[in-house]
Amino acid sequence: MNIRLMAAALLASVAIPAFSAHATDLEVTHWWTSGGEAAAVKVLAEQYNALGDNHWVDGAIAGSGSTATPLIVSRILGGNPMGATQLNTGRDAEELVKAGLMTDLTDLAEKEHWKDIIRPASLLNSCTYEGRVYCVPLNIHSWQWMWVNRHVFEDNGMKVPANWDEFVADAPKLREKGIIPLATGAPWQVDGMRSVMQIGIGGKETYLAIYQKKDADAVKSPENRKVWDAFAQARDLVDESYSGRDWNVATNMVITGKAAAQIMGDWAQGEFGVAKQVAGKDYDCLPGLGFNGLLDTGGDSFYFPKNSNPDITKAQLELASMLVSKETQVKFNLAKGSLPVRGDIDLSAASSCMKKGLEILKNPDNVVPGVTQLIDPDTRGQMTDLGLQFFSSKMTVDEAIEKQAAIFKQAQ
């Protein structure tokens, strides 16, 4: 897809609906449809509607980001842009920005000093192209978490595991009790699990060497082999019905005790919250699988497609400003289970798991860029395919490493 060749013509043909002089409806697309996510979206809509005459028109898209993103991009390219859209913080909108299809937020960012209040700096950097800002980071989402049902272990006379190795050692006992050790779904959840192991088990140095430097030697290192060995363990701990399962269904399996644990991003915490579960009492969270206390700093950002209606542009800027405000950052992230992009707000009401994440973020050395910030969508897709092939077959670790090396040899 050559987006830039299409941009000028598409901008000229954008269909703009009629709006009253006193109110602006702003359609906002996103893929937040689970219970915890819906509660967080409600916070944003209520905050925005309370600003004045503007109105949040919800454009939820069922499925994951991998399903929603192509639909969002297609609408923008087709000349029927939404007013605002959620996308992953990273490179998903890179070509749209380069093509001039996104609203420039630089003046607002400078006026409100986003550079001084948004942390880590990599989040705003991911929204910046040639010195101009084109999106607003809303939260920090990290994949680097394992969620454990404490009651499953305690009620069966087992110690709650503190790391992946302890969990794997207890898996046979769990199966004897009729409990699925590890809940997951496919496809993206499986790839996410392997990415968590890349950092949690392989460590920061190896992760950056592979994903940032595209280092072939790092792919074939002993540290990376440990990652694939752990991934091989994981494929023996899931149930046969995992394929096609939604992530929040897998989370509910842990909440209800059908499964002992799930490797999933911190958005899972929103599901525990809706279920009235208490961190440290009903469930535990293990950042970095209990080994490497590191967090990747991906998350969600909002982009605002260009249009020729000044009322929409004004409404877009008001939403952008609201998203980074102190009040929104507190209310939204408490509901979502994610971490705020501001370090100057009061999160005393946060759960113990959120506080673990906040403590990790205090040390810049504990922060690593997310996969979406380091490799392009094509490379991510190839790694997702490889992870699925490995997880659903008897592919050996040696074969997987060779395939991964071939992928990163041509990665951008």
Side-chain angles (χ1 to χ4, degrees):
M1 180 188 301
N2 193 328
I3 295 177
R4 276 168 283 187
L5 291 178
M6 302 169 65
L10 289 172
L11 282 173
S13 63
V14 167
I16 301 297
F19 293 88
S20 74
H22 303 291
T24 299
D25 288 345
L26 195 72
E27 182 191 8
V28 184
T29 53
H30 59 85
W31 55 85
W32 291 324
T33 56
S34 75
E37 291 173 329
V41 170
K42 184 179 179 182
V43 169
L44 293 182
E46 290 177 346
Q47 290 281 108
Y48 187 62
N49 292 341
L51 291 178
D53 293 328
N54 298 330
H55 181 248
W56 175 293
V57 178
D58 202 69
I61 301 172
S64 65
S66 59
T67 300
T69 299
L71 298 176
I72 291 168
V73 171
S74 178
R75 274 195 56 182
I76 296 171
L77 289 176
N80 182 31
M82 59 295 295
T85 187
Q86 168 210 5
L87 287 171
N88 289 319
T89 300
R91 300 177 64 178
D92 284 354
E94 187 174 86
E95 288 300 311
L96 294 172
V97 170
K98 290 180 179 178
L101 293 172
M102 292 298 183
T103 299
D104 189 335
L105 306 175
T106 306
D107 290 345
L108 177 65
E110 291 178 349
K111 177 183 177 183
E112 298 187 347
H113 307 288
W114 290 3
K115 189 174 182 180
D116 298 326
I117 62 175
I118 293 177
R119 62 90 178 94
S122 59
L123 296 177
L124 193 58
N125 290 342
S126 294
C127 287
T128 304
Y129 175 67
E130 294 185 343
R132 311 296 293 180
V133 177
Y134 292 94
C135 67
V136 52
L138 177 60
N139 58 6
I140 300 171
H141 263 319
S142 174
W143 255 103
Q144 307 303 313
W145 298 88
M146 181 171 172
W147 307 91
V148 178
N149 184 318
R150 291 184 60 91
H151 301 298
V152 162
F153 291 90
E154 293 172 338
D155 293 351
N156 288 290
M158 289 181 278
K159 177 184 175 183
V160 178
N163 57 51
W164 173 257
D165 289 345
E166 292 181 7
F167 169 70
V168 172
D170 284 337
K173 299 177 185 177
L174 294 169
R175 287 204 181 279
E176 288 175 5
K177 300 291 184 178
I179 299 167
I180 299 167
L182 189 63
T184 194
W188 62 271
Q189 298 168 62
V190 168
D191 178 58
M193 186 190 307
R194 202 207 63 81
S195 295
V196 170
M197 292 175 171
Q198 188 72 67
I199 296 176
I201 292 175
K204 178 180 179 179
E205 183 177 341
T206 301
Y207 168 70
L208 292 177
I210 295 174
Y211 281 83
Q212 190 171 62
K213 299 178 182 178
K214 318 299 189 292
D215 186 340
D217 291 335
V219 174
K220 298 183 178 181
S221 68
E223 290 76 16
N224 195 46
R225 175 171 289 276
K226 291 178 182 177
V227 173
W228 285 101
D229 285 339
F231 198 41
Q233 291 174 322
R235 68 182 173 186
D236 293 330
L237 300 180
V238 302
D239 63 307
E240 294 181 354
S241 302
Y242 76 90
S243 183
R245 179 183 293 142
D246 289 338
W247 72 269
N248 53 307
V249 174
T251 304
N252 189 61
M253 291 170 65
V254 179
I255 292 171
T256 58
K258 294 179 182 178
Q262 178 191 27
I263 296 174
M264 182 52 56
D266 51 15
W267 48 89
Q269 193 167 197
E271 303 302 301
F272 284 97
V274 168
K276 307 301 182 184
Q277 299 282 291
V278 178
K281 176 184 176 182
D282 300 307
Y283 68 97
D284 271 347
C285 50
L286 305 179
L289 302 179
F291 295 124
N292 291 304
L294 304 169
L295 294 181
D296 55 358
T297 52
D300 300 296
S301 291
F302 271 80
Y303 288 81
F304 304 87
K306 270 188 178 178
N307 65 89
S308 58
N309 187 323
D311 289 336
I312 293 181
T313 301
K314 180 181 177 182
Q316 289 176 327
L317 295 176
E318 289 179 354
L319 177 57
S321 178
M322 186 207 81
L323 293 174
V324 80
S325 69
K326 286 185 177 182
E327 184 178 6
T328 300
Q329 282 289 302
V330 171
K331 290 183 177 180
F332 173 81
N333 286 296
L334 286 177
K336 189 71 163 60
S338 49
L339 300 176
V341 299
R342 298 181 66 137
D344 59 348
I345 57 178
D346 180 13
L347 279 176
S348 57
S351 71
S352 61
C353 286
M354 285 187 70
K355 289 177 180 177
K356 279 185 183 181
L358 292 169
E359 190 65 29
I360 290 172
L361 286 179
K362 286 182 180 179
N363 183 352
D365 291 337
N366 293 336
V367 177
V368 295
V371 169
T372 60
Q373 296 168 279
L374 297 177
I375 56 176
D376 61 15
D378 181 61
T379 303
R380 295 206 309 272
Q382 292 181 63
M383 283 302 301
T384 297
D385 291 343
L386 174 57
L388 285 172
Q389 291 170 15
F390 181 89
F391 206 77
S392 61
S393 71
K394 295 298 182 182
M395 182 187 297
T396 67
V397 168
D398 285 333
E399 291 171 336
I401 289 174
E402 287 300 320
K403 290 178 181 293
Q404 185 183 16
I407 290 171
F408 278 91
K409 185 177 181 180
Q410 52 75 51
Q412 299 296 316

